[in-house]
Amino acid sequence: MADRGGKAPAWTSAAAAVDVDAEVVIVGAGIAGLATALALRRLGMGAAGGGVLVLERHAELRSTGAALTIFPNGWFALRALGVAHKLTSRYDAFETSRVTTLETGATQVFRFAGRKSSSGDVRVRPMHRKALLEALAEELPPGTIRFSSKLASIATEKAQGSPEIAVLRLDDGTVIRSKVLIGCDGVHSVVSQWLGLSEPASSGRSAVRGLAVYPDGHGLKKELRQFLSEGLRAGMVPISHTDVYWFLVNNTVPAEQEAGTDPAKILREVTDNLGRHMPAEYLDVARHSDSGNLSWAPLLYRAPWAILRGPAARGAVTVAGDAFHPMTPDMAQGGCSALEDAVVLARALSRAATPADGVASYVAERRGRAAWLVAGAYLSGWVQQGGTNVRGVRGYMVRLFRDWIFYRFLFPRLADAMWFDCGDLVEPNAEGKTHSE
């Protein structure tokens, strides 16, 4: 990567303002951003010329959310990216979810990955979010990620006879010109706003997420435990022998704004108010929380029809991950779908005659699946919650549907969507093998 004076800049948080040329700029060093950068590198893009640059507004890799669960579709993508083995060796798989309805005491047990058989690395595994980010970042050349780089504005310019390029201005005065711009900057994406995509909508629900730490071990069984109550869904799943990821999804209440980002207030609201009737084992997990990994935030999503019809591309500018299709976490597909995006986008760019053609191909391929995942996640969350703010007879009917039909018949079909294989990053060679074989 070269600045406009021909020298390679040292990307540090204190980098001086310079003018930079890049082949591809990715805004955001989250899952989508790092995976896209790695996918492009695997295909040899950016090896010459300006290279691939990832802009991250924070001073280090983010770990908001503490943990996530990777389903088979995520493992197919990670295998294509060449990093699956780094994570499967660290995190155990689990097969079942145990759901207890607190009002009746009834418990249902089902396979969390649907009706298909798991094998090898293609299984459901919860993991630390930061471990995934680091596994991706370690594969990138030094200097790929520019930290403490906040995007201030986006414009375009076009020289006679040349394709339109993106012109980015950072808040430190740096100006970056790029042939391709990919927004991976989350739910409130600056790039998606520039493209004209609709603002994410509220689901009417919020989620507390935390990571409990037991230095001497927790002794919990390797399964997802969930507890349902009117207007609430709580859950916990072991990540390692010392760490347990837990969550509480609630119909949005004023106390969320009052608690803000104060870990003590958030935890007190969970244990003393919202979740006070939860089982003792769940409350014990919550009380073991690491305060640095405790958050409470609204669950947002982009309407499926906005994903299907919205302006997700302009020339060689597009979005991926939450910037494209934010969804509620009820099918654990936010991170997995971002990994899919990365593979599909890099492959489309590598095969197209022009960057704009590659971006258009990517958006066309991803719209339908992304809209389906958003709709499936919303439906799954709404039903499991017993209907958001639905009470009386209607609420009773929703809960009856959930307990007798949804978990037994509908959820396994939704889970089958998690077996999608986004494909590899290279064409088979003469022997019919890919790089991952």
Side-chain angles (χ1 to χ4, degrees):
M1 183 174 309
D3 65 23
R4 294 179 73 80
K7 295 181 179 179
W11 294 125
T12 68
S13 59
V18 293
D19 281 8
V20 178
D21 288 335
E23 185 174 349
V24 180
V25 169
I26 298 168
V27 183
I31 294 172
L34 295 177
T36 301
L38 179 55
L40 291 170
R41 173 169 168 74
R42 294 289 190 232
L43 289 172
M45 297 186 66
V52 177
L53 174 63
V54 180
L55 304 178
E56 171 53 50
R57 64 189 181 92
H58 293 89
E60 59 184 3
L61 292 178
R62 294 168 289 167
S63 57
T64 303
L68 79 166
T69 300
I70 301 296
F71 278 80
N73 59 318
W75 289 112
F76 285 130
L78 287 170
R79 194 161 63 185
L81 291 166
V83 298
H85 65 283
K86 298 168 64 174
L87 296 162
T88 54
S89 61
R90 293 179 57 183
Y91 295 100
D92 293 332
F94 71 101
E95 301 287 344
T96 60
S97 175
R98 189 180 299 271
V99 183
T100 300
T101 303
L102 296 182
E103 284 83 0
T104 64
T107 295
Q108 299 185 61
V109 181
F110 59 92
R111 291 190 69 252
F112 207 54
R115 299 169 295 181
K116 298 186 179 182
S117 298
S118 300
S119 62
D121 59 357
V122 184
R123 302 174 70 186
V124 180
R125 286 178 170 84
M127 67 179 61
H128 298 89
R129 182 177 292 266
K130 195 165 186 178
L132 173 57
L133 296 178
E134 290 174 346
L136 295 168
E138 289 167 357
E139 300 296 313
L140 298 174
T144 300
I145 308 171
R146 187 185 198 269
F147 292 105
S148 300
S149 297
K150 185 177 180 180
L151 180 61
S153 68
I154 305 171
T156 59
E157 65 180 33
K158 183 175 182 179
Q160 188 172 6
S162 301
E164 188 176 68
I165 64 172
V167 181
L168 313 179
R169 296 183 185 275
L170 308 186
D171 62 355
D172 67 357
T174 296
V175 177
I176 304 174
R177 290 171 173 81
S178 179
K179 298 176 184 177
V180 180
L181 172 61
I182 305 168
C184 299
D185 45 340
V187 175
H188 302 292
S189 165
V190 175
V191 181
S192 69
Q193 292 173 15
W194 184 82
L195 286 170
L197 283 167
S198 63
E199 283 294 310
S202 171
S203 66
R205 298 180 295 129
S206 300
V208 180
R209 298 177 175 97
L211 187 69
V213 179
Y214 293 78
D216 298 323
H218 49 69
L220 296 175
K221 187 178 179 181
K222 291 184 177 66
E223 64 180 3
L224 172 64
R225 293 290 311 278
Q226 293 190 82
F227 308 99
L228 309 178
S229 183
E230 185 172 354
L232 291 174
R233 180 165 63 93
M236 58 187 191
V237 60
I239 299 177
S240 66
H241 77 284
T242 59
D243 296 355
V244 182
Y245 173 62
W246 66 274
F247 62 85
L248 179 74
V249 183
N250 61 282
N251 294 337
T252 302
V253 294
E256 179 185 333
Q257 291 187 346
E258 297 171 9
T261 58
D262 186 327
K265 290 182 179 179
I266 294 172
L267 186 58
R268 188 161 55 247
E269 185 65 24
V270 170
T271 58
D272 299 351
N273 188 9
L274 286 175
R276 65 183 183 278
H277 60 296
M278 290 291 162
E281 59 183 325
Y282 174 83
L283 293 176
D284 182 71
V285 167
R287 292 188 178 105
H288 276 79
S289 292
D290 172 6
S291 61
N293 284 296
L294 196 58
S295 64
W296 194 3
L299 300 181
L300 307 177
Y301 71 103
R302 178 163 286 129
W305 49 88
I307 295 170
L308 289 170
R309 300 197 300 257
R314 173 180 165 180
V317 180
T318 190
V319 283
D322 285 344
F324 186 7
H325 42 71
M327 64 186 76
T328 61
D330 305 288
M331 284 173 52
Q333 284 298 297
C336 293
S337 60
L339 293 168
E340 289 181 19
D341 286 347
V343 174
V344 174
L345 176 52
R347 190 170 57 221
L349 286 171
S350 72
R351 293 176 177 177
T354 68
D357 289 343
V359 163
S361 175
Y362 152 74
V363 171
E365 183 173 347
R366 292 300 293 165
R367 282 190 193 274
R369 176 159 172 81
W372 158 242
L373 288 175
V374 169
Y378 181 90
L379 173 65
S380 178
W382 190 86
V383 171
Q384 290 183 85
Q385 199 91 355
T388 305
N389 295 315
V390 175
R391 295 180 174 83
V393 175
R394 288 181 61 210
Y396 172 78
M397 295 301 293
V398 172
R399 292 191 294 274
L400 197 66
F401 173 79
R402 175 193 67 194
D403 296 340
W404 288 94
I405 298 176
F406 178 79
Y407 282 123
R408 298 183 184 188
F409 305 106
L410 186 55
F411 185 84
R413 293 185 178 275
L414 289 174
D416 284 349
M418 304 173 192
W419 283 86
F420 176 80
D421 186 346
C422 61
D424 210 273
L425 284 170
V426 295
E427 297 290 346
N429 60 24
E431 287 76 35
K433 296 183 177 181
T434 68
H435 79 275
S436 61
E437 297 175 298

